[in-house]
Amino acid sequence: MKQPAGRARILVVDDSPDIRALIITLLGKDYTMLEAADGRAGLLAARKRLPDLIILDVTMPEMDGYAVTQEIKADP
């Protein structure tokens, strides 16, 4: 489904496919939704797509939400 231009972009980063799907379903009518299944993929998506908001799971394997936040804050 193509999203209209000019809508705010929300990136959902969560290792649970069910939680990602729920959030996307709830917000997808009003926002352009992006998703990533782990912290590293979330960082790449954030750098490439520059979302307006990131909904980030704090407890993920390998790279948790705190580490993702630190990386984002350190990247100009």
Side-chain angles (χ1 to χ4, degrees):
M1 173 165 145
K2 186 168 174 138
Q3 301 290 338
R7 291 181 11 161
R9 290 180 307 275
I10 298 176
L11 171 60
V12 180
V13 183
D14 198 305
D15 58 320
S16 168
D18 292 336
I19 292 174
R20 286 195 320 269
L22 175 63
I23 294 169
I24 289 167
T25 299
L26 292 172
L27 300 176
K29 284 192 220 173
D30 298 315
Y31 301 97
T32 298
M33 302 302 295
L34 312 167
E35 64 180 301
D38 60 52
R40 291 264 175 238
L43 279 174
L44 291 173
R47 288 179 177 137
K48 182 177 180 181
R49 301 293 305 272
L50 301 175
D52 299 294
L53 176 71
I54 300 173
I55 299 175
L56 181 62
D57 182 7
V58 175
T59 55
M60 294 183 285
E62 284 189 47
M63 185 175 208
D64 66 21
Y66 296 113
V68 173
T69 301
Q70 288 175 340
E71 291 271 343
I72 289 171
K73 289 174 74 176
D75 185 346

